[in-house]
Every structure is written in structure tokens, then in C-alpha cells.
Amino acid sequence: MPSSDALFARALQLIPGGVNSPVRAFRSVGGAPFFVKAARGATLITADDRELIDFVCTWGPAIHGHNHPVIKAAIAAALENGTSFGTPNPYEVEMAELIVKFVPSIQKVRMCNSGTEATMSAIRLARGFTRRDKIIKFAGCYHGHSDSLLIKAGSGALTHGHPDSAGVPAAFARETIVLPYNDTAALDAAFAANPGQIAGVILEAYCGNVGFIMPDPGYLAAVRAVTAQYGALLIFDEVMTGFRIAQGGVQEREHIVPDLTCLGKIIGGGLPVGAFGGRADIMNYLAPLGPVYQAGTLSGNPLAMAAGIAGLRLLEALNPYARLDALGRQLRDAVLAAARAKGLPTQVPQCGSMFSIFFTATPVRDYTTALTGDAKLFARFFHACLARGVYLAPSAYEAGFLSTAHEGPAIDRACEIMSQAIAEL
Ligand SMILES: *Cc1c(COP(=O)(O)O)cnc(C)c1O
């Protein structure tokens, strides 16, 4: 096996930046990305035969750890019968039943192939249903890379300094109103200033792409109330939080009923999947029943459905959310204790298996306060952890993820390593 450095040198010649998704690049923390040849449980095995405790979890999907035997067996069983049929298949019905059963607001659901497709389609559906053009999003929320949503975006767009992408026509961008998260007055003002024009509000109910940020008490209820008042649809982007914060996502934990919900990541069990669903009367606006067109050659793919179903059934059987939260609290407490010992102002927002580490004295509640985090110090912390065998996302503005496979020695070792890394900053 060629080394990571040799692979990256070849990749740089052939793939822009050497990566097929910018979040994998190390440009904001410095250095070159490593290549992974295998992953098991909480561990990545690099092309250089290093073993790393992984807190990226393939950016969210791997809630059961990598290469879980039950998911692997489900994919193998589906593979026996073929990889794609271009017709409806039985797995699609089972997947839809599981999603409708667990996500409180979803009455009907359409499968697609990525989170980006899910949010792009949900926005189009909201516009078609309401016959209005404008949408509201929040600074730092990332909803994939479609034109309407790549405005003041988080994740790699923020990490690499392009929250407003080149190539998005100004005429499209004008239809997207960007507001600060956690600010109900700004939201009320935007509705008042654009009467009858706002099709919907899309948000990460818990933000995971500007680091991890939770809403202030009452914020989500206020967003629900104002959207209902003005006849705009409320779209929860739960691509990251669905089946992770709770089986039914943030909406289950917070008792908020959005009109539409976007899913992805965990529901694919590690294969490429997205979905969007919600109120039946809205979903019935989709082709072939209604006038809003949306389609996909590989949507509802049997291998992807089999993997996702196996992962969701495992969540149903194990109900691991209390255990995951205990892991998250253990990690948060260890990092905060090390930071306190060092006299380093640090925020560690955490809920269940999501967390992030901001080196700042300012409580983080939106895009602006997230940017107060010391990104240079984070880069040093990132490399100190990596050198000792812990892999965090290579950006000061990404959430960390835990899996059930972190239970036991992995979490203890990771807490020790992160504490040492902080002590030596
Ligand atoms: C990852 C993510 C997306 C995009 O999903 P892809 O599968 O990468 O296209 C959209 N929204 C949120 C909240 C995400 O975390």
C-alpha cells in the first residue's frame, strides 16, 4: 500500500485539492490529509498503518461505529439480489415505514441520494407549495451545496473562507434571506419586511456545521410560531441530527413539529442516501402526484436502503441515546477540566453524541460568536491530538461525533489524549 503522502501527491495532480469534498482537506489546520484503508468500530486504519480513534464518524453516519457486522451483513444479503432495478423495490417501503414511525412530523417521505438533494428538493417543494420565492436561512447553517443555500454557509464553505460561493447568480442569492441564528427579533423583522413572499425557513435545529450550537430556550418554538403566522413552511434540516440527537431527531427532543424535514447521513448506514418528508398535503405536491418535479436514477437504491434499514433497526433495538450522552459528557468534562487546569477559556457545547470545542471565553450561540474561537490554537490542538492517535475534524467549525463503538477503552484513551494535548498547548 502506498503511503498517505504518496497517494496525496498523485491525488493533487488529478483531483482538485486532492480531495473529493473540501472538508477532508487540511488547509485550515495545515499539513496534508491522511488516507484511510480500513475502519472498524471507533478506529480508522490509515494507509501508513496508524490506528486513530475517530471523532468524525464519516461526518455523522457511523453512529454504530465503522463497518458494523449487522450493517455489513445486510448489504451483503441485498447484494445477492442485485444492485439497482430502476423499479420500486421492497426495501423502499420498509425504509419509508421506519422513517414515518420514528420522525414525528413525517407523514410521507421521498428518498434521494444525498443531504444536498434533500434540502434542494425541500426548498423547491416549499416554493411550489406556497407559490412564493423567498427563503430564510441562518448564517453558519450548512444545507449542502445547492445554489439557494450556499449563502453564508457553514462547514467547508466557512472553513475555507467561501461562505458565499462563486458561481451562485446574484439573482438566486437575492431570493435567500440570511439571518443570525438564535435571534427571534431579526426573524420577526424579516417576515414583516417581506409580506407574502417567504416560502419557508430552513434551519439546522441544532447547528452542527459552524461547530455545534444549540438553540436558546424558546427559540425553536418562536420560529415555529412565526412561520405558521405568515403561512411559510418550517423546514428542519436534520441531515446531521436525525436519528442522532434522538431517534426522531431534534424535533422529538424539542417537541416541535416542522412542516418538512430533511434527512441523510445515518439513514444511509454509510451508503449515499438522503430523504425529505413531512405533511402529506405538502408531499403530495411532488411529481407524479403534483407539479413539483424531483427525481433520481438511483433513489431508493436497494443496497443503500438495506444498509440504512439495518442501521435504523439497530438503533430501535439498542436505544443507545443515554449511553451516547454519557460518552459525550465524559469527553466534555475531560476537555473542560484540562482547559481549566491550563487557564484556557474554552466552550464545549455538547448534546448526546455531538460536541465541539471552541477556544474562546465567549459563549457560542451563533455564527459571529463561533468565529471568536481561536482557530490557530484549534489547529495546534488538532495536530497534538492527531500525533497521539485521536482524529478530530480538521476545522475549528465542525462538530465532533461519537458512536456506540467509542464506549470502553476508546473514550477513556481519547479523553486522556485530549487532556494531554491541551496541557501542552
Ligand atoms: C451533511 C449535511 C448536508 C449535506 O449532505 P450531503 O450528503 O453531504 O450532501 C445538509 N445539511 C446538513 C445539516 C448536513 O450536516
Side-chain angles (χ1 to χ4, degrees):
M1 166 93 37
S3 69
S4 286
D5 287 349
L7 287 163
F8 193 52
R10 277 160 62 197
L12 281 173
Q13 302 301 314
L14 303 164
I15 305 169
V19 292
N20 280 317
S21 187
V23 293
R24 299 174 198 168
F26 273 31
R27 295 172 71 96
S28 78
V29 291
F34 55 84
F35 283 63
V36 168
K37 63 178 180 185
R40 259 173 239 118
T43 307
L44 299 176
I45 302 153
T46 75
D48 319 288
D49 285 319
R50 287 197 69 205
E51 293 198 0
L52 301 171
I53 303 170
D54 177 27
F55 288 102
V56 180
C57 288
T58 186
W59 300 89
I63 194 166
H64 302 294
H66 292 286
N67 209 9
H68 192 283
V70 169
I71 298 178
K72 198 169 146 182
I75 297 170
L79 184 60
E80 282 302 308
N81 296 319
T83 57
S84 178
F85 308 133
T87 64
N89 70 67
Y91 294 110
E92 294 169 280
V93 186
E94 192 178 347
M95 175 62 96
E97 282 168 351
L98 281 171
I99 290 174
V100 167
K101 175 173 173 189
F102 287 113
V103 184
S105 67
I106 297 186
Q107 296 174 329
K108 281 192 174 181
V109 62
R110 171 69 56 86
M111 302 306 300
C112 52
N113 303 289
S114 69
T116 294
E117 282 182 44
T119 56
M120 177 183 76
S121 306
I123 290 291
R124 183 181 307 133
L125 179 57
R127 286 171 162 159
F129 181 79
T130 59
R131 297 188 173 83
R132 301 173 181 178
D133 287 341
K134 289 196 191 300
I135 56 160
I136 290 176
K137 79 173 284 289
F138 298 94
C141 285
Y142 177 72
H143 305 292
H145 60 91
S146 71
D147 286 343
S148 294
L149 296 169
L150 212 48
I151 299 165
K152 276 269 182 295
S155 189
L158 171 59
T159 301
H160 299 295
H162 309 291
D164 306 289
S165 174
V168 175
F172 290 15
R174 269 198 294 278
E175 305 300 335
T176 303
I177 298 169
V178 182
L179 300 177
Y181 184 79
N182 260 333
D183 183 341
T184 47
L187 186 61
D188 291 343
F191 270 104
N194 297 276
Q197 296 178 66
I198 295 170
V201 173
I202 185 166
L203 79 166
E204 290 182 78
Y206 291 0
C207 302
N209 284 288
V210 58
F212 182 63
I213 301 179
M214 307 227 348
D216 292 341
Y219 176 66
L220 294 175
V223 178
R224 176 65 281 186
V226 74
T227 44
Q229 180 192 339
Y230 286 94
L233 301 189
L234 176 58
I235 307 168
F236 268 17
D237 180 352
E238 298 229 44
V239 170
M240 204 177 248
T241 53
F243 292 92
R244 179 168 280 284
I245 288 297
Q247 209 142 245
V250 171
Q251 59 193 271
E252 176 193 319
R253 189 168 191 273
E254 297 281 347
H255 308 288
I256 303 287
V257 182
D259 300 299
L260 293 174
T261 298
C262 303
L263 297 169
K265 297 193 169 128
I266 285 178
I267 63 162
L271 269 66
V273 172
F276 61 105
R279 264 167 49 195
D281 62 320
I282 303 172
M283 292 303 289
N284 288 343
Y285 257 65
L286 283 177
L289 291 181
V292 175
Y293 198 72
Q294 186 278 338
T297 301
L298 292 177
S299 295
N301 174 267
L303 296 190
M305 294 301 97
I309 290 165
L312 298 189
R313 291 234 179 270
L314 214 47
L315 286 174
E316 184 181 17
L318 299 175
N319 192 13
Y321 297 98
R323 284 159 54 202
L324 287 167
D325 190 51
L327 296 175
R329 277 183 281 117
Q330 183 182 344
L331 186 143
R332 179 196 64 194
D333 292 348
V335 169
L336 286 175
R340 211 175 305 114
K342 177 87 180 167
L344 189 64
T346 302
Q347 313 290 327
V348 187
Q350 174 265 334
C351 178
S353 57
M354 293 179 75
F355 67 94
S356 60
I357 300 168
F358 293 102
F359 294 117
T360 175
T362 311
V364 175
R365 53 189 297 281
D366 59 11
Y367 178 83
T368 311
T369 46
L371 291 183
T372 66
D374 186 337
K376 286 208 178 70
L377 194 60
F378 181 86
R380 282 169 50 208
F381 172 65
F382 168 85
H383 280 293
C385 289
L386 186 57
R388 290 171 172 82
V390 163
Y391 180 52
L392 295 165
S395 163
Y397 311 114
E398 296 284 359
F401 297 99
L402 288 142
S403 74
T404 50
H406 286 81
E407 249 175 355
I411 192 70
D412 295 341
R413 178 90 189 107
C415 287
E416 205 177 288
I417 286 174
M418 287 190 195
S419 303
Q420 283 170 10
I422 287 175
E424 288 174 25
L425 280 177

